[in-house]
Amino acid sequence: MASMETEPTTTATESSQTVQEAGYTRSAGPPPNYFRVDFLLRLLLLASAVSALVVLVTGKQTKRIATGQQAPFAFVERDAKFNYSPAFIYLLVALAVTCLYSIITMLSSCVFMFKPAPAAKALFCLILLDTLMVGIMASATGTAGGIAYLGLKGNSHTNWNKICNTYDKFCLHIGSSTAVSLFASIILVVLVLLSAYSLSKRSYH
């Protein structure tokens, strides 16, 4: 009887040694909850997306352009607006979607913030959705950045003239909105890494 009682203890000791030899130890407590950091990052994402959206929408300027003709046709008024370019419209839609997405995920972070162990399925879904948003924001920012650079430098090979020497205020709005959109894309990447790290920590509990 004594030998039979000592066998489970020996087996448990051997299994714990095997776990330690494998290079990790299992914790008895709940897995760490990083949703407070997640909430702050999503709040920062919302602020940056709204800022970029407002700066982009207010990016318009009217200038009088010399035509070289006789009066009264010596000058003509020309507008520069963000909705004249499909790239900037794409950026506008991407920022609007990011704003809505950040609000929804902030609510989910509030729910998971007070749970001791958020579900692995929820973390996995956040990773997928955040990765999708990274693709949307990165592609919209890259497209708008390419058009903004073309307006700043022009392209002599295709005879596309630069316009930022004339529409300086408009280009400042577009450039600022693109820079803030890039910052929002970086925040989304950090959110993906944070969720992946949280999910990996669950495997040790």
Side-chain angles (χ1 to χ4, degrees):
M1 292 291 293
S3 60
M4 292 177 61
E5 290 178 355
T6 56
E7 284 181 1
T9 306
T10 305
T11 305
T13 305
E14 290 177 353
S15 61
S16 63
Q17 290 177 353
T18 304
V19 169
Q20 293 178 356
E21 290 174 357
Y24 63 90
T25 57
R26 293 185 180 274
S27 176
N33 190 331
Y34 297 104
F35 272 97
R36 286 181 176 83
V37 180
D38 184 271
F39 177 82
L40 294 177
L41 286 174
R42 295 187 188 280
L43 181 61
L44 185 59
L45 174 64
L46 176 62
S48 59
V50 170
S51 301
L53 186 62
V54 171
V55 173
L56 179 64
V57 171
T58 56
K60 53 186 177 181
Q61 187 178 7
T62 302
K63 280 285 190 177
R64 297 186 67 194
I65 309 297
T67 61
Q69 303 293 327
Q70 297 295 327
F73 305 106
F75 293 92
V76 63
E77 288 190 351
R78 288 288 182 266
D79 297 332
K81 297 181 180 180
F82 77 95
N83 55 348
Y84 290 169
S85 172
F88 299 145
I89 295 176
Y90 177 32
L91 179 61
L92 174 71
V93 174
L95 288 171
V97 172
T98 303
C99 290
L100 179 61
Y101 173 75
S102 59
I103 293 173
I104 295 174
T105 52
M106 277 174 59
L107 296 176
S108 66
S109 293
C110 288
V111 173
F112 294 124
M113 190 186 303
F114 301 102
K115 290 186 176 182
K121 186 182 295 185
L123 291 171
F124 184 72
C125 289
L126 283 176
I127 292 174
L128 292 181
L129 293 174
D130 287 342
T131 304
L132 176 63
M133 291 305 302
V134 168
I136 293 174
M137 278 301 303
S139 61
T141 303
T143 304
I147 299 300
Y149 183 81
L150 187 63
L152 179 64
K153 297 294 185 180
N155 192 325
S156 59
H157 300 287
T158 56
N159 293 323
W160 290 345
N161 297 325
K162 58 184 179 181
I163 65 168
C164 289
N165 56 339
T166 303
Y167 297 97
D168 51 349
K169 180 183 176 182
F170 171 75
C171 288
L172 180 61
H173 276 253
I174 296 301
S176 301
S177 178
T178 304
V180 178
S181 299
L182 178 61
F183 178 69
S185 302
I186 295 174
I187 294 176
L188 284 167
V189 173
V190 175
L191 284 169
V192 172
L193 296 177
L194 179 64
S195 298
Y197 181 74
S198 300
L199 188 61
S200 66
K201 281 294 183 180
R202 293 183 61 87
S203 61
Y204 298 104
H205 286 77

